[in-house]
Amino acid sequence: MADNNNGPENPGPWETKHKRAPPEIEDILRLGRERLGGLVPGGPPPLISIAVVGVIAFVAVSAWSSLYTVPSDSVAVIQRFGKYNAEVPPGLHLKLPFGIDVATLVSVKRQLKQEFGFTTPGSGDPFQSPVDGRRETEMVTGDLNAALVEWVVQYRISDPLKFLFEVREPGATLRYVSESVMREVVGDRTVDEVITIGRQEIESEALLKMQALTTRYAMGISIDQVQLKNINPPEPVQASFNEVNQAQQEKERLINEARREYNKVIPLAEGEKDQRIREADGYRLKRINEAEGDAARFTALLAEYVKAPEVTKRRIYIETLEEVLPGIGSKIIVDGSTASILPLLNLDRQQGDQP
């Protein structure tokens, strides 16, 4: 048997390829080789050494296959010999090794989504089945027109047990359910409603129907939202469809301009009409009140005249002169009983005026 304790004169395999270790490490290695009974190359492996290595390997494999970690947004469904055993919360756990217990991780707190007609890079659904996206989007509306409808379904796994064991391929089943419901909802509306004003109603109705079907099929899935994306006509008619849309937009623009002019002119005319009517009413009331006042004054004056005609005549004469004389610039008073006319000081002339 070759000597395993190689000295400096006969370097061993390790020492030939690597530098010599310090004396303390050489002693430890030598002691280990002696206890293992010559497991180094060139030495016969005894049965006890093989047993020790087998036990160590068995323990290592058992520990490696027994420990597992459940993320914080998931739960683990444990199957023992293929039968459901338990549902494990997030954290570090142990299970029976060598495939006796199988842990399947299910994300229950993360929102998943399926996209129809398009694919966002890096956001694919792990349960999504590969299908022809173009075929999914081709739909027929209620007025027998064609449309390309793209939408997104956002959902969560509400019951891991039903999700794993009640339905085969739940991701693909959800995809088929979503496509069927969307075709039904779109088929009940015209193409104009689908493209323009009916989007919100389509989303709400599709959400309710998908929730009802997933509950009926016991899929363990909760639908959170259905959102429509791009809705376009088929490619062969897109140019004509765009021309029709432009014509409709031009029509709406002209109608809005006409309404704006109408709203600007008509209220102004209505305001002028109301103003003229109010002015006429005011003038009518003024003339009526003046006429009634003059009639009342004349009636009162007539009554006084009947009582004292001379006094009334003189009073009317004086009142008339009071109204007339202030408007006359130069006044010459002639009394027939006077013998001659004397010059009078013109009190109405202002200072500085020429005589």
Side-chain angles (χ1 to χ4, degrees), residues 66-84:
S66 298
L67 287 173
Y68 66 99
T69 303
V70 181
S72 60
D73 62 346
S74 305
V75 296
V77 177
I78 304 300
Q79 294 174 257
R80 182 164 297 171
F81 295 111
K83 183 180 180 180
Y84 170 77

Side-chain angles (χ1 to χ4, degrees), residues 14-27:
W14 177 268
E15 296 171 346
T16 302
K17 298 181 180 180
H18 305 277
K19 296 181 180 180
R20 181 181 298 274
E24 296 81 2
I25 298 179
E26 290 183 355
D27 295 339

Side-chain angles (χ1 to χ4, degrees), residues 28-104:
I28 296 174
L29 293 175
R30 185 180 302 108
L31 180 59
R33 285 195 295 267
E34 291 176 356
R35 291 186 177 180
L36 291 176
L39 287 179
V40 296
L47 295 178
I48 187 171
S49 300
I50 297 175
V52 171
V53 173
V55 170
I56 294 175
F58 178 81
V59 172
V61 172
S62 300
W64 178 79
S65 61
S66 298
L67 287 173
Y68 66 99
T69 303
V70 181
S72 60
D73 62 346
S74 305
V75 296
V77 177
I78 304 300
Q79 294 174 257
R80 182 164 297 171
F81 295 111
K83 183 180 180 180
Y84 170 77
N85 183 47
E87 184 176 310
V88 180
L92 183 64
H93 302 280
L94 290 173
K95 61 182 178 63
L96 297 180
F98 302 110
I100 299 175
D101 284 354
V102 177
T104 303

Side-chain angles (χ1 to χ4, degrees), residues 64-209:
W64 178 79
S65 61
S66 298
L67 287 173
Y68 66 99
T69 303
V70 181
S72 60
D73 62 346
S74 305
V75 296
V77 177
I78 304 300
Q79 294 174 257
R80 182 164 297 171
F81 295 111
K83 183 180 180 180
Y84 170 77
N85 183 47
E87 184 176 310
V88 180
L92 183 64
H93 302 280
L94 290 173
K95 61 182 178 63
L96 297 180
F98 302 110
I100 299 175
D101 284 354
V102 177
T104 303
L105 300 180
V106 181
S107 299
V108 295
K109 296 182 180 179
R110 186 175 60 183
Q111 189 178 62
L112 306 174
K113 68 177 181 179
Q114 287 188 350
E115 299 172 338
F116 297 81
F118 68 99
T119 301
T120 303
S123 61
D125 185 0
F127 303 103
Q128 179 174 334
S129 301
V131 294
D132 185 7
R134 179 62 180 272
R135 180 190 59 80
E136 291 177 335
T137 60
E138 295 177 347
M139 299 185 184
V140 178
T141 60
D143 55 354
L144 301 181
N145 286 311
L148 302 178
V149 182
E150 298 178 357
W151 73 98
V152 176
V153 176
Q154 297 179 352
Y155 66 96
R156 299 177 187 271
I157 301 175
S158 58
D159 192 333
L161 183 60
K162 292 182 180 179
F163 182 80
L164 292 177
F165 304 114
E166 291 293 334
V167 178
R168 180 179 298 176
E169 297 183 0
T173 304
L174 175 62
R175 199 167 188 88
Y176 296 143
V177 167
S178 177
E179 182 181 351
S180 174
V181 169
M182 188 59 67
R183 290 184 183 277
E184 177 185 357
V185 175
V186 171
D188 292 337
R189 288 166 173 80
T190 63
V191 66
D192 292 333
E193 292 176 346
V194 173
I195 295 178
T196 56
I197 61 176
R199 296 172 64 98
Q200 187 174 2
E201 295 180 359
I202 292 174
E203 292 175 350
S204 301
E205 185 176 353
L207 176 62
L208 295 177
K209 291 187 176 182

Side-chain angles (χ1 to χ4, degrees), residues 298-319:
F298 180 79
T299 302
L301 185 61
L302 178 61
E304 296 297 329
Y305 179 80
V306 172
K307 294 179 182 179
E310 295 298 331
V311 175
T312 304
K313 287 181 180 180
R314 185 170 182 80
R315 183 172 63 83
I316 293 174
Y317 175 76
I318 294 174
E319 290 177 355

